[in-house]
Amino acid sequence: MALTGLQIYKLLPQTNCKECGFPTCLAFAMKLAAKQAELAACPYVSEEAKAQLAAAAAPPIRLVTVEGPGHRVEVGNETVLFRHEKTFYHPCGLFVRVKDSDNVRAAAEAAMGYAVEYVGMSLFLDGVAVEAASGSATTFAGAVRAVREVTDRPLILMAENPEVLKAGVEADKGGRPLLYAATEENWQAVAALGKQTGAPVAVRASTLDGLAELTEKIKGAGVEDMVLDPGVRGPLESLTAFTQLRRLALKKNFRPLGYPLIAFPGEGAADGIEEAQLAVQHIAKYGGFIVLDRFTPALAYALLAWRTNIYTNPQEPIKVQPGVYEINSPKADSPVMVTTNFSITYFSVANEVDGSGLPGWLLVADAEGMSVLTAWAAGKFDAERIAKTVKTTGIEEKISHRKLIIPGHVAVLLGELEEELPGWEILVGPREAVDLPGFLKLWSPS
Amino acid sequence: MTVEIPAEKWSGRVLEVTLGATPAEGGTRSRTVVVGGETTLPFLHFEGEIPHPPRVAIEIADHRPDDWSPLLLEAWGSVVGDPAAWARAAEEAGADLVLLQLSLTRDGGAPTTARDARAVTRAVLQATGLPILVFGPGQVDADNELLVAVAEEAVGERIVLGICEEKNYRTIVAAALAHGHLVNGRTAMDVNLAKQLNILISDMGLPLDRIIMDPTTAGLGYGIEYGYSVMERLRLAALQGDKMTQFPMLVTPGYEAWRQKEAKVGQGVPGSWGDWRERAILWETLTATSLIESGADIVVLRHPETVKRVKAFIGRLMEK
Ligand code: B12
Ligand code: SF4
């Protein structure tokens, strides 16, 4: 937890020599507390004070990175319990588990080959968890190599036997996998493997007491990057444990449990839909890595969308640039539509027009990133703003007609718009974008 | 090492609200449903009480809703268009509550009249013993006209009248006061607006245990995070002792999810969206699941499969 200026002052030399550029050590300490100065500016600060300050500045939940040769996932370093308090920063990693006893290559290829467009972003799953169900080091290493052939994303390697785990790490060429899991039984060997390879270590224990003891021992063995598995699987047990862990880290600054969490929703569920329900809970309530047992496109899409929603900064809606967007190579006689610059709104409309195959000009008004009705209710998508968009985007030079299609939800703007845009004919479009293709089929510029 | 479990001591408590009235209480319901009463955040039994599970209402329409997804029409089959039969089917599908949605116009386009609204309300009350909610079409004038008639018809039943908004709360609250009902106060995803409306409603003298608040929500992928966070904020405020936020919350994930293309249609969507039926059920189920985790006391759903899923998940979150 951050130190106050006074606490920092106590750690400084207190000689007021001014070399840091501040008149007194106290003034410097205040600036440090406000993060407006760097400790390095004081040449006299002791090594011990440096260590203490660094420890205090460390985030309450450690940032843990896993990597494949072509993709990295960073989780942790969260600062709040509720997203409205600031935002959630590091989207949890969504992994799909394959077992080395099955056809891992095909399973990994299907999951890693998956991508879906959502509000202009291409969303995909983060990596593969390979489990040594066989118990054999050779089989496991073979499975890891097979997975590596089809993906360059990070891996989670799952084996209870440290020898088997080691074979897996060696097979993960170019990767920095998460090692799952160190337990009371095997922690020395797994910690040694983590230290030797630099890979983060997942730690599992069935009580929070046990978990805290274990992380301290593993830390003592030289491993800094850890991930916690409190061993619970059902919705109630995991909501309870994950909430307690997040609170311990953020509110108590309890270092032994200040690490990201890993969840296995499939182990607490009877089928895909129930697994997805649990995963929804884990995404919102504090999961860092989420290992799915089932992959289908529908399931992946829903969970990826939910993760994007939860990790959207509440202070800044996702926006697109205002302006003119050309869809399907529009010509002078193609229809002109207007919408707002809220990403979800823009893409709902743009995707429909695009999918219809019909050409069109889409004007995007600067509505401060709000949806049509929200912006209308807030006075950010009124006749004046729409008229301004028409005039400033230069659309008039690009087209031969003067017809503007407005969203059906703001049909009330019709009269005012006709006044603001003399010479234009205002057409009220359908309320929902789904119905736009049908509407556009009837378009004629004359 | 002994880790001290960080439990919060909240000072506030959500009010308990009883929906429906049995013959002994002046109604005809075979049972009542109580929601609210929480003294902590959703399902954190380790630090507070959650005396009642979140409840599921199934939405039925007063006529055949042709704009509904074919998946929904197919799931309900022949009862669609027959509100009494639909209410019975909803009860069989596991509903705790039945929500009757009135429409602006009837089949054929003539406006729904107060008489129609009375008749359909009566039919639904006779068909099911569950407590019911009746929502107007969402246009102030129509809502006022229809809901006043409904309130009178269902006198003593402790039904929930919706939608009670800033624009029409006077009429709806007066009807609830006169005939022994509850109101569902809806505001647009804003903590202060919700509080303001609750103050206006309670200033009219409606007892606090007859108010449910509806902070509005959105579907997965379509702004749900706003609804999710507003509900978290409202519930935190309630637990911190802010009286005008201490009402059970109702949201409509069924309506929101099935409006979206992901649930509604199977054609002309990207291949990466996967199987239509699976996706549709997921869309509604996950929208509802996330809202239960952010404080919903009543979720209004549409598909029988979703109802089963959501109830089962609630069951698991409630087993202490
Ligand atoms: C999320 C949300 C918010 C978020 C904002 C999100 C954002 N970035 O815009 C927040 C919480 C901030 C918010 C605030 C407010 N909101 Co608001 N909000 C919503 C909500 C729940 C969803 C909106 C949404 O994202 N829809 C999804 C997008 C994709 O829809 P869309 O933009 O309309 O686009 C669709 C169509 O319009 C169409 N379309 C779009 N463009 C075009 C173009 C053409 C040519 C055509 C044909 C079609 C078309 O296609 C899209 C898909 O079908 C709605 C209620 C609801 N469930 O819908 C209320 C709602 C829009 N909000 C409302 C209100 C009143 C407000 C506030 C004024 C309340 C307040 N006083 O605080 C504020 C205003 C903001 C401010 N002052 O800061 C009201 C508006 C009522 C009205 N009819 O006037 C609504 C309808 C809620 C309600 N029932 O009361 N809101
Ligand atoms: S350089 Fe260090 S010792 Fe000198 S005034 Fe600044 S903080 Fe104090």
Side-chain angles (χ1 to χ4, degrees):
Chain A
M1 207 142 294
L3 296 181
T4 64
L6 270 180
Q7 285 167 323
I8 297 174
Y9 172 70
K10 293 197 180 114
L11 298 169
L12 293 177
Q14 305 179 12
T15 54
N16 301 334
C17 76
K18 302 188 174 56
E19 278 182 46
C20 56
F22 294 93
T24 61
C25 293
L26 182 61
F28 181 58
M30 292 298 177
K31 288 290 171 187
L32 279 177
K35 298 201 163 56
Q36 291 163 355
E38 292 289 330
L39 186 61
C42 169
Y44 306 112
V45 63
S46 71
E47 285 305 315
E48 195 199 326
K50 266 188 208 161
Q52 276 191 42
L53 285 167
I61 298 174
R62 194 173 170 84
L63 186 72
V64 171
T65 308
V66 292
E67 281 171 70
H71 180 66
R72 57 156 41 193
V73 176
E74 286 184 334
V75 305
N77 203 358
E78 297 299 338
T79 59
V80 291
L81 281 156
F82 303 99
R83 55 187 290 285
H84 67 258
E85 294 174 322
K86 189 143 182 72
T87 186
F88 290 173
Y89 290 97
H90 295 98
C92 50
L94 291 173
F95 285 67
V96 172
R97 167 155 52 183
V98 299
K99 296 189 175 166
D100 68 352
S101 47
D102 301 338
N103 183 354
V104 290
R105 198 192 150 100
E109 203 164 15
M112 293 301 101
Y114 179 78
V116 62
E117 282 291 311
Y118 171 69
V119 296
M121 298 179 270
S122 175
L123 305 180
F124 52 84
L125 298 160
D126 293 288
V128 180
V130 191
E131 180 177 333
S134 67
S136 142
T138 348
T139 309
F140 188 50
V144 172
R145 276 193 298 274
V147 172
R148 259 289 152 260
E149 278 169 29
V150 299
T151 184
D152 61 0
R153 297 187 200 150
L155 305 183
I156 298 175
L157 301 178
M158 304 178 64
E160 299 291 301
N161 179 340
E163 286 306 312
V164 176
L165 205 50
K166 186 162 187 235
V169 186
E170 283 162 5
D172 181 12
K173 290 273 179 298
R176 183 176 193 256
L178 173 65
L179 307 180
Y180 182 93
T183 61
E184 191 49 47
E185 287 74 45
N186 69 7
W187 70 268
Q188 280 107 333
V190 176
L193 186 60
K195 183 163 189 231
Q196 181 206 330
T197 59
V201 172
V203 184
R204 187 181 69 232
S206 56
T207 64
L208 298 191
D209 294 352
L211 204 51
E213 277 162 31
L214 213 44
T215 59
E216 287 293 271
K217 288 193 269 197
I218 294 171
K219 191 171 178 199
V223 174
E224 300 278 352
D225 287 340
M226 281 180 260
V227 170
L228 308 177
D229 175 4
V232 289
R233 296 296 182 259
L236 176 58
E237 300 77 2
S238 36
L239 181 65
T240 306
F242 282 31
T243 303
Q244 291 172 345
L245 284 163
R246 178 83 151 222
R247 284 188 188 167
L248 279 163
L250 295 188
K251 303 190 90 167
K252 306 282 174 198
N253 200 24
F254 186 65
R255 297 285 177 188
L257 297 176
Y259 301 97
L261 313 178
I262 187 167
F264 297 88
E267 292 182 15
D271 64 12
I273 293 191
E274 196 177 20
E275 178 171 359
Q277 287 177 284
L278 250 168
V280 155
Q281 176 186 300
H282 294 318
I283 290 170
K285 296 288 179 194
Y286 318 137
F289 292 98
I290 295 171
V291 179
L292 302 167
D293 281 320
R294 297 171 184 83
F295 162 76
T296 67
L299 216 146
Y301 176 30
L303 294 180
L304 287 165
W306 173 240
R307 181 180 67 177
T308 309
N309 295 161
I310 279 295
Y311 279 88
T312 297
N313 184 342
Q315 271 77 41
E316 300 171 28
I318 342 176
K319 298 180 219 176
V320 294
Q321 274 299 12
V324 189
Y325 288 77
E326 303 184 3
I327 304 178
N328 297 329
S329 322
K331 309 213 171 42
D333 62 354
S334 301
V336 180
M337 293 154 277
V338 66
T339 189
T340 73
N341 68 327
F342 181 36
S343 271
I344 302 182
T345 300
Y346 166 79
F347 283 103
S348 308
V349 179
N351 288 344
E352 287 305 331
V353 180
D354 187 60
S356 73
L358 301 166
W361 305 95
L362 184 55
L363 299 183
V364 174
D366 183 357
E368 299 179 16
M370 290 184 216
S371 81
V372 168
L373 276 177
T374 310
W376 176 77
K380 310 291 181 195
F381 190 60
D382 53 13
E384 206 177 310
R385 284 212 188 201
I386 294 174
K388 193 172 150 220
T389 309
V390 169
K391 288 182 185 138
T392 56
T393 47
I395 185 71
E396 283 167 315
E397 282 98 73
K398 296 185 172 143
I399 52 167
S400 56
H401 62 87
R402 289 290 179 268
K403 285 185 177 188
L404 177 67
I405 305 172
I406 62 170
H409 280 299
V410 290
V412 290
L413 292 177
L414 184 71
E416 279 174 63
L417 259 175
E418 282 170 345
E419 276 173 35
E420 292 278 344
L421 287 173
W424 280 76
E425 186 186 341
I426 310 299
L427 306 176
V428 176
R431 294 161 78 93
E432 302 299 336
V434 203
D435 304 316
L436 249 175
F439 183 85
L440 291 179
K441 282 202 191 95
L442 308 174
W443 161 261
S444 120
S446 51
Chain B
M1 193 180 300
T2 316
V3 177
E4 203 184 316
I5 299 297
E8 298 280 351
K9 277 252 167 296
W10 303 104
S11 60
R13 177 195 173 112
V14 179
L15 289 162
E16 280 185 333
V17 171
T18 304
L19 288 79
T22 60
E25 295 148 350
T28 62
R29 305 299 78 209
S30 49
R31 60 186 164 92
T32 60
V33 165
V34 185
V35 291
E38 299 92 335
T39 61
T40 180
L41 293 167
F43 312 109
L44 299 187
H45 304 283
F46 72 94
E47 66 179 15
E49 276 171 55
I50 298 156
H52 311 288
R55 295 298 189 174
V56 171
I58 292 184
E59 176 182 352
I60 66 171
D62 62 351
H63 72 312
R64 188 185 165 85
D66 285 314
D67 57 337
W68 280 28
S69 170
L71 284 182
L72 287 169
L73 300 178
E74 180 195 299
W76 290 108
S78 62
V79 302
V80 173
D82 177 349
W86 199 347
R88 271 191 298 274
E91 187 169 346
E92 273 158 36
D96 302 309
L97 302 161
V98 172
L99 185 146
L100 171 62
Q101 176 65 56
L102 302 174
S103 50
L104 210 49
T105 54
R106 299 172 38 93
D107 299 329
T112 309
T113 63
R115 254 185 79 173
D116 301 329
R118 278 177 192 268
V120 66
T121 302
R122 173 64 35 219
V124 169
L125 282 169
Q126 276 164 2
T128 176
L130 299 177
I132 70 165
L133 309 87
V134 181
F135 278 22
Q139 278 201 0
V140 175
D141 294 338
D143 282 5
N144 287 352
E145 186 194 340
L146 302 182
L147 291 174
V148 168
V150 165
E152 202 176 281
E153 184 68 29
V155 61
E157 296 281 10
R158 256 181 114 86
I159 70 172
V160 178
L161 299 171
I163 298 162
C164 174
E165 300 178 79
E166 204 211 320
K167 283 176 269 181
N168 68 349
Y169 75 95
R170 286 171 187 282
T171 312
I172 308 297
V173 173
L177 271 169
H179 305 289
H181 301 304
L182 283 55
V183 299
N184 178 57
R186 176 176 290 180
T187 47
M189 281 197 182
D190 181 285
V191 173
N192 292 321
L193 290 181
K195 280 181 66 171
Q196 258 171 43
L197 182 62
N198 293 336
I199 293 170
L200 294 172
I201 294 173
S202 55
D203 278 353
M204 281 186 68
L206 190 68
L208 299 188
D209 67 353
R210 279 162 62 186
I211 302 174
I212 289 174
M213 64 180 174
D214 175 349
T216 309
T217 197
L220 174 58
Y222 291 85
I224 190 173
E225 67 274 24
Y226 294 95
Y228 178 90
S229 286
V230 164
M231 287 168 75
E232 285 200 328
R233 291 176 56 196
L234 281 166
R235 185 48 52 85
L236 284 166
L239 296 174
Q240 283 154 6
D242 182 341
K243 290 257 177 293
M244 282 300 128
T245 57
Q246 293 173 338
F247 302 97
M249 290 190 275
L250 173 150
V251 276
T252 52
Y255 165 75
E256 295 294 345
W258 286 99
R259 279 168 78 181
Q260 305 311 338
K261 203 174 175 183
E262 278 79 352
K264 196 169 181 181
V265 302
Q267 300 266 303
V269 302
S272 53
W273 284 16
D275 179 73
W276 178 25
R277 188 176 182 282
E278 182 196 7
R279 182 176 73 241
I281 299 296
L282 275 169
W283 227 257
E284 187 183 23
T285 302
L286 300 185
T287 301
T289 302
S290 65
L291 298 174
I292 280 162
E293 303 247 5
S294 60
D297 293 282
I298 299 175
V299 285
V300 185
L301 301 178
R302 285 189 170 176
H303 197 287
E305 174 69 17
T306 311
V307 171
K308 214 170 79 192
R309 298 296 186 160
V310 172
K311 288 197 70 159
F313 203 70
I314 293 172
R316 295 188 69 188
L317 283 162
M318 288 301 291
E319 55 192 38
K320 275 167 263 183

